[in-house]
Amino acid sequence: MTVHSPGNGTHGRTSRADIELIGIYEISKLLSAPNRLETTLAGVLTLLSSFLDMRHGLIALLDGDGEPEIVVGSGWSEENAKRYFKRLPEQAIGQIVATCMPLVVPDVRSDQLFAGTDLDGWGSEDGKPFSLIGVPIKNGEAVVGTLTIDRSYEFADQTPFDQDVRFLTLVANLLGQTLRLHKAVARDRERLMAEQRRLEKQLSAGRDDGVASGKIEGIVGESPALRAALDKVRIVARSRSTVLLRGESGTGKELFASAIHDLSPRSSGPFVKLNCAALPESVLESELFGHEKGAFTGAIQQRKGRFELAHGGTLFLDEIGEISAAFQAKLLRVLQEGEFERVGGTRSLKVDVRLVCATNRDLEAAVSKGEFRADLYYRISVVPIFLPPLRERTGDIPLLAQEILQRFNKEHSTDLTLTSEALRALSGCFFPGNVRELENCIRRTATLARDQQIVAHDLACQNDGCLSSVLWQGSQRAAPSPGFQPLPVIQPQPQMGGTVFAEGESPASPQACPSPGACPVPGGDTRSERDRLVEAMETAGWVQAKAARILGMTPRQIGYALRKHSIPIKRF
């Protein structure tokens, strides 16, 4: 903002008013952006330097005792901002806070308020005088901070202090509203976390009847593999030992963690969860351990971490295998000593928390490569539970599909059903993405369904839209390391759709569905998929379209299967 001399007429005053309006508009846009508080304040000072003849600017937010909590400066480095703010006379800042009124000092070097003040770094190198303007930042009637600027004072009688004071007061009012919003958001976060814990307790109480009958809410299935995992959950839930849930993505690790909590003596306490892979390390430490007010720039108040929020209950750490080596050491200390300090704090805190972790990584391989600490591995893997993938519990697919469709019907007020043919087609699929992929398949099919009944032809795998074919084409599942073994389950010889499987073979076998390729080749014999493909191609004279009709597949699926088994095409 250009300073106009008294000789400027109405046109000059109008131009200044227009510029002030533009400045307020730009600053209000900046304040409404979703940035961290200190970043926003620094941006405000940068904009002010564009609209005012200022050399330096300081925004200081004060705590309840009147001490500077956050100080952001323009014209100084970040580390020097608080130091130069402290050089301002306490009487000057106190006058702004006590009177809730602006302070204007035309010549700082000759003013009694600044007598004996170290002004090194404030004045110009040639010793010319400079002015200081300070305005209060208010939250309601209380002063919560100050906004001060300084500028050259060469022509005292021509400097329009009143216009600058008015402009800075408008900016300070906007800053006060922004600060009030930040504090309201922090309070709402605490309130929502408390409400979440209350609702979880109510839900836990409502699950008591289901738990007593042997069923666990959200976990659907009756296969031997699933029953073995649930039996182990019921045993370990009674103890306080740390549990590590192992399994592929989409096997329901969060549901099993919730089941451990619900079946434990801690079911009346909070169940707090955190995805370790979703947050950067700097934020993860604050989320888990909490922080003290003023621990870092932007920490405007004390905040409890997930460990404290889970006191008396269960803390679920998902994707534990993704944390960095540095954070592994910090987490290990908490598990070993049972205590921690908030970020920026010095007081050790002890909490009573039962820890449940989950990962889809091969931690044994990560330990051998030096990517995961062995001592932390021993701490979190006291009781490992391996969750079976869907291909090892294909008998549960019809139950899961109907449950997912029932939820879809409830959400969309529909009354769709799955025919027996559709259920048989689903039961023969490989589903590398496990229950999450099955849910995707059911919801997509239900969304596009034309009739009330969903038939086999409605499924994406019957129309060259199988996600397994697209996402897993050409990939090979790596064999698990010796330390990563699933639960031993004795599989009976199941019957499905009239097909009897030989000993050692199950509908979940990769031969039943392209892993990854196309959908399954139907048939009741025990020959391999490759042998059936070759026989069909021979019968069809190596015409893929004819072979597809013989096997009940599409030509595109035949092409996937041929490439998967490296079967050369004969030309006649």
Side-chain angles (χ1 to χ4, degrees), residues 22-302:
I22 294 173
I24 293 297
Y25 172 69
E26 293 296 331
I27 289 174
S28 64
K29 285 200 305 182
L30 178 63
L31 293 176
S32 63
N35 297 321
R36 297 185 64 181
L37 183 60
E38 65 275 12
T39 303
T40 299
L41 298 180
V44 169
L45 290 175
T46 301
L47 283 174
L48 282 178
S49 65
S50 303
F51 291 95
L52 293 174
D53 286 331
M54 56 176 273
R55 298 180 310 157
H56 307 109
L58 283 172
I59 295 177
L61 301 181
L62 310 176
D63 59 17
D65 298 326
E67 293 296 321
E69 189 174 37
I70 297 177
V71 180
V72 178
S74 172
W76 290 300
S77 61
E78 183 176 348
E79 59 271 16
N80 288 334
K82 183 174 278 190
R83 179 161 59 92
Y84 279 110
F85 175 79
K86 289 185 177 180
R87 288 186 179 182
L88 289 173
E90 185 176 345
Q91 187 177 356
I93 298 300
Q95 181 175 324
I96 299 175
V97 175
T99 63
C100 296
M101 297 292 293
L103 171 68
V104 177
V105 182
D107 186 356
V108 170
R109 292 185 180 275
S110 61
D111 194 279
Q112 289 299 319
L113 281 175
F114 288 81
T117 302
D118 181 9
L119 298 176
D120 184 32
W122 284 77
S124 57
E125 295 180 357
D126 55 6
K128 291 182 179 180
F130 64 97
S131 307
L132 182 136
I133 303 175
V135 295
I137 300 173
K138 296 186 289 186
N139 183 0
E141 296 300 323
V143 176
V144 295
T146 60
L147 167 60
T148 57
I149 69 165
D150 70 276
R151 66 182 191 187
S152 296
Y153 177 65
E154 298 185 33
F155 306 99
D157 57 340
Q158 298 181 11
T159 306
F161 288 115
D162 57 334
Q163 295 181 9
D164 284 351
V165 168
R166 180 187 64 189
F167 181 57
L168 290 174
T169 301
L170 291 174
V171 174
N173 288 338
L174 292 176
L175 291 174
Q177 294 175 13
T178 301
L179 182 61
R180 184 163 58 250
L181 178 61
H182 273 260
K183 290 184 176 180
V185 169
R187 287 194 302 269
D188 286 346
R189 178 184 181 275
E190 294 291 338
R191 180 180 58 81
L192 289 174
M193 293 288 286
E195 181 69 11
Q196 180 184 0
R197 292 194 296 270
R198 185 185 67 81
L199 292 175
E200 286 176 349
K201 288 182 180 180
Q202 290 182 351
L203 290 174
S204 177
R207 296 185 187 123
D208 288 345
D209 293 339
V211 172
S213 63
K215 296 182 179 179
I216 299 177
E217 183 176 345
I219 300 179
V220 178
E222 299 175 354
S223 63
L226 183 65
R227 286 201 302 268
L230 290 177
D231 288 343
K232 199 168 186 179
V233 163
R234 291 187 178 93
I235 295 172
V236 301
R238 297 193 294 265
S239 71
R240 298 183 57 182
S241 300
T242 302
V243 177
L244 179 62
L245 299 174
R246 311 289 297 271
E248 300 172 8
S249 179
T251 51
K253 291 185 281 294
E254 184 174 330
L255 287 175
F256 277 82
S258 180
I260 291 174
H261 173 74
D262 293 338
L263 294 170
S264 72
R266 299 170 173 264
S267 58
S268 59
F271 175 67
V272 180
K273 51 195 175 184
L274 179 67
N275 189 326
C276 299
L279 298 173
E281 181 179 336
S282 58
V283 180
L284 183 61
E285 183 175 3
S286 176
E287 281 293 325
L288 273 179
F289 306 138
H291 64 250
E292 298 289 351
K293 184 171 69 172
F296 49 84
T297 305
I300 60 177
Q301 63 181 8
Q302 184 191 82

Side-chain angles (χ1 to χ4, degrees), residues 225-473:
L226 183 65
R227 286 201 302 268
L230 290 177
D231 288 343
K232 199 168 186 179
V233 163
R234 291 187 178 93
I235 295 172
V236 301
R238 297 193 294 265
S239 71
R240 298 183 57 182
S241 300
T242 302
V243 177
L244 179 62
L245 299 174
R246 311 289 297 271
E248 300 172 8
S249 179
T251 51
K253 291 185 281 294
E254 184 174 330
L255 287 175
F256 277 82
S258 180
I260 291 174
H261 173 74
D262 293 338
L263 294 170
S264 72
R266 299 170 173 264
S267 58
S268 59
F271 175 67
V272 180
K273 51 195 175 184
L274 179 67
N275 189 326
C276 299
L279 298 173
E281 181 179 336
S282 58
V283 180
L284 183 61
E285 183 175 3
S286 176
E287 281 293 325
L288 273 179
F289 306 138
H291 64 250
E292 298 289 351
K293 184 171 69 172
F296 49 84
T297 305
I300 60 177
Q301 63 181 8
Q302 184 191 82
R303 191 170 109 181
K304 293 181 179 180
R306 302 297 174 98
F307 269 102
E308 287 184 79
L309 295 175
H311 180 67
T314 304
L315 176 61
F316 173 52
L317 299 181
D318 199 4
E319 304 292 354
I320 190 70
E322 304 302 324
I323 61 176
S324 66
F327 194 76
Q328 289 175 28
K330 297 177 182 178
L331 183 59
L332 177 64
R333 177 178 176 273
V334 178
L335 299 182
Q336 285 179 335
E337 301 178 8
E339 58 184 30
F340 63 94
E341 295 87 34
R342 297 193 190 104
V343 177
T346 57
R347 183 169 59 94
S348 293
L349 303 173
K350 293 187 73 71
V351 290
D352 178 18
V353 172
R354 200 270 180 84
L355 189 64
V356 177
C357 303
T359 184
N360 58 8
R361 289 191 62 189
D362 185 348
L363 289 187
E364 291 78 14
V367 169
S368 64
K369 295 177 183 177
E371 298 173 355
F372 199 86
R373 295 177 63 110
D375 44 8
L376 179 59
Y377 170 80
Y378 298 134
R379 287 286 180 179
I380 65 175
S381 187
V382 177
V383 181
I385 298 180
F386 296 91
L387 307 186
L390 198 53
R391 62 182 175 276
E392 294 180 6
R393 42 181 293 220
T394 52
D396 294 335
I397 290 180
L399 296 174
L400 285 165
Q402 291 172 344
E403 174 69 19
I404 294 169
L405 185 60
Q406 183 179 351
R407 295 177 186 174
F408 181 91
N409 287 333
K410 185 176 180 180
E411 293 172 8
H412 298 83
S413 300
T414 55
D415 191 22
L416 300 173
T417 58
L418 286 160
T419 63
S420 57
E421 294 177 352
L423 291 174
R424 281 196 297 270
L426 288 170
S427 299
C429 289
F430 189 65
F431 289 117
N434 296 300
V435 180
R436 190 175 291 119
E437 183 182 350
L438 173 62
E439 182 175 8
N440 175 280
C441 177
I442 297 298
R443 287 183 171 273
R444 180 176 65 251
T445 305
T447 301
L448 299 175
R450 298 177 182 271
D451 301 317
Q452 291 289 89
Q453 283 194 327
I454 296 176
V455 299
H457 184 71
D458 293 330
L459 300 174
C461 59
Q462 304 294 320
N463 296 283
D464 295 339
C466 180
L467 286 182
S468 293
S469 300
V470 177
L471 297 177
W472 305 94
Q473 173 64 21

